[in-house]
Amino acid sequence: MNGASREALATARESLDALTDNTSVDVAKLAEELAAVTALLNREVSLRRVLTDPAQAGEAKAELAGRLLRGQVGGETVDLISGMVRSRWSRSRDLVDSVEELAASAELTVAQRADALDDVEDELFRFGRIIDSAKDLRSALTDKSAPASAKGELLRSLLGGKANPVTERLVVRLVTQPRGRSLEAGLESLSKLAAARRDRMVAVVTSAVPLTDEQKQRLGAGLARIYGRQMHLNLDVDPEVLGGISVRVGGEIINGSIAERLDEAARRMAG
């Protein structure tokens, strides 16, 4: 992607991360809806051209996307797509590619929440090796004359119950909606996304008052040193935290709040 599209995609990734870091969001549903929007934009060339037309105001494009999608997909998906079409894109196809990437990233987040991301990454790799060695299978899955539904059923018979559901959904979408890519290129892209997601950790930070930019930078840098990986901060404000902060990384809690210290003191006194 060229400059404008790269910037737009980076912004969209941040918006997706903000959504998927919220445990109340149904990320599997979000992924399914983003995949449906990808199919719509890929099919409706004139629509995606309108939504990426630099001569049109961003807000007007966002309103159009909202009218088309509202009632068909959830509010999170509408907001995400509306934000994307407000951005400037170098090519209309870049918008479709980016929505498709967000759909795959959301699926990988589902696996990450279930502590199964390593399994999915390994299964994608192993499926690629199977495709390399099973020429008849590759031919069946890439046959342009074969209906997508038949390819999907074949894959479900092969992967159902044997692979993680996220792996199955990703591969089925790749095969049934190739969008001009080779199967090998699509699998490689998915593997790269999985690797990038695996190297990213999320810290849920709760504080009594909002942190300053300097505090966020210092905290992020400190956590990155501790865990040796890139750290995304998901910030929350809770007035009941009397001071300090509480940080949760995965199942580990680093609690430095005054409230926790008072509770600990009370427990010691009672003991």
Side-chain angles (χ1 to χ4, degrees):
M1 291 186 184
N2 293 326
S5 291
R6 281 201 305 269
E7 292 178 9
L9 176 55
T11 300
R13 285 169 175 161
E14 291 179 359
S15 298
L16 179 69
D17 285 343
L19 277 174
T20 56
D21 287 345
N22 185 342
T23 55
S24 67
V25 173
D26 186 341
V27 184
K29 178 184 176 184
L30 178 64
E32 182 181 0
E33 292 177 347
L34 287 170
V37 174
T38 301
L40 171 67
L41 294 176
N42 187 61
R43 184 173 64 250
E44 301 294 340
V45 179
S46 59
L47 173 60
R48 73 172 186 250
R49 286 177 177 168
V50 170
L51 293 177
T52 56
D53 184 356
Q56 301 296 321
E59 197 56 42
K61 291 184 285 188
E63 289 177 4
L64 173 60
R67 288 198 304 271
L68 291 172
L69 299 176
R70 202 168 288 113
Q72 307 299 315
V73 296
E76 291 91 354
T77 303
V78 173
D79 291 344
L80 189 56
I81 299 300
S82 297
M84 293 179 75
V85 300
R86 286 188 183 95
S87 297
R88 188 178 183 89
W89 297 89
S90 305
R91 302 182 308 164
S92 63
R93 185 180 177 83
D94 291 345
L95 172 63
V96 195
D97 292 343
S98 298
V99 177
E100 184 179 51
E101 179 187 309
L102 297 191
S105 293
E107 286 285 11
L108 293 169
T109 301
V110 174
Q112 189 173 37
R113 284 185 176 184
D115 197 24
L117 188 55
D118 286 348
D119 292 338
V120 170
E121 188 176 2
D122 181 60
E123 288 167 356
L124 289 170
F125 173 76
R126 285 191 285 115
F127 184 75
R129 297 296 293 271
I130 291 171
I131 291 300
D132 286 340
S133 59
K135 302 303 181 184
D136 289 345
L137 175 60
R138 185 188 185 283
S139 296
L141 294 176
T142 58
D143 183 358
K144 294 182 180 180
S145 65
S149 58
K151 296 177 184 178
E153 286 303 314
L154 173 58
L155 283 170
R156 293 184 186 95
S157 69
L158 292 172
L159 300 176
K162 303 179 184 69
N164 187 283
V166 168
T167 305
E168 182 180 338
R169 290 194 294 268
L170 287 171
V171 173
V172 167
R173 286 175 189 152
L174 173 63
V175 170
T176 58
Q177 302 176 43
R179 300 188 52 241
R181 296 161 304 187
S182 71
L183 183 52
E184 290 80 3
L187 288 170
E188 182 179 1
S189 294
L190 289 173
S191 295
K192 288 180 179 178
L193 277 178
R197 174 64 52 178
R198 181 167 45 79
D199 288 339
R200 175 183 178 273
M201 297 188 74
V202 176
V204 180
V205 181
T206 305
S207 58
V209 297
L211 301 181
T212 65
D213 289 341
E214 181 182 357
Q215 288 173 323
K216 287 185 282 189
Q217 291 174 3
R218 287 167 51 196
L219 178 60
L223 290 171
R225 284 195 298 272
I226 292 172
Y227 290 94
R229 293 165 69 180
Q230 177 187 355
M231 189 68 61
H232 174 78
L233 302 184
N234 186 19
L235 304 173
D236 191 22
V237 175
D238 182 357
E240 292 186 7
V241 178
L242 302 182
I245 59 174
S246 175
V247 180
R248 176 169 57 82
V249 180
E252 183 177 3
I253 296 177
I254 307 170
N255 204 319
S257 69
I258 288 178
E260 176 64 19
R261 293 173 190 171
L262 291 175
D263 288 344
E264 178 63 21
R267 286 194 293 269
R268 289 181 180 177
M269 290 176 65

